[in-house]
Structures are given as structure tokens and as C-alpha cells.
Amino acid sequence: MFSSDEKHIGNVEQVIADSESNTATHFIIGKGFLLKEHKVVPASWVANVDEDKIYLSVKAPLFDRLPDYQPD
């Protein structure tokens, strides 16, 4: 996943979907190797999807300000 300023911000680890509409609502993004940091990104932030890349409509500093997410 890439920010609008074209910085790689992490990899999609999970997609959260609305069970009624079967549409994606959020993405869990993992960043790092040993001590992985996770963030939840709203699907509304997705600006463009290429064959193997997802681009957000926000810059990296805004993404970095998202609270950390602790997966189960």
C-alpha cells in the first residue's frame, strides 16, 4: 500500500468487509519485520488500485498518525 506522496506504508494483511453488502470497509496494514506495527485504514481512503498496488488519497504523515492496532 502506498500513500498519495508515493511512500510505501506497509502491506495489506487483512480486509474487513461489511457482511450485508459484502464490500470492504477497512484494511489492516502491517509494517515492519520483527516488531510489526499494524494500522487500520478506512476503505474510503483508497484512491486507486493497480494490478499489485493500492494507493491512498492521504499522505504518509496522516497514515502515521493513525492509532496502532493490535490484532487478535
Side-chain angles (χ1 to χ4, degrees):
M1 187 166 278
F2 292 83
S3 61
S4 63
D5 48 353
E6 299 191 20
K7 294 184 179 176
H8 182 259
I9 55 172
N11 297 313
V12 176
E13 294 197 355
Q14 184 179 355
V15 178
I16 300 171
D18 180 305
S19 60
E20 290 183 20
S21 65
N22 205 29
T23 58
T25 60
H26 295 83
F27 296 93
I28 307 296
I29 307 303
K31 183 178 181 180
F33 294 106
L34 295 176
L35 300 173
K36 219 171 233 198
E37 180 180 281
H38 293 90
K39 306 272 187 182
V40 177
V41 174
S44 62
W45 282 13
V46 173
N48 190 24
V49 178
D50 283 344
E51 190 172 307
D52 60 347
K53 294 180 184 174
I54 298 173
Y55 294 92
L56 298 181
S57 60
V58 299
K59 293 184 178 183
L62 179 57
F63 171 81
D64 290 337
R65 288 197 301 264
L66 288 171
D68 288 339
Y69 171 75
Q70 298 299 320
D72 294 334

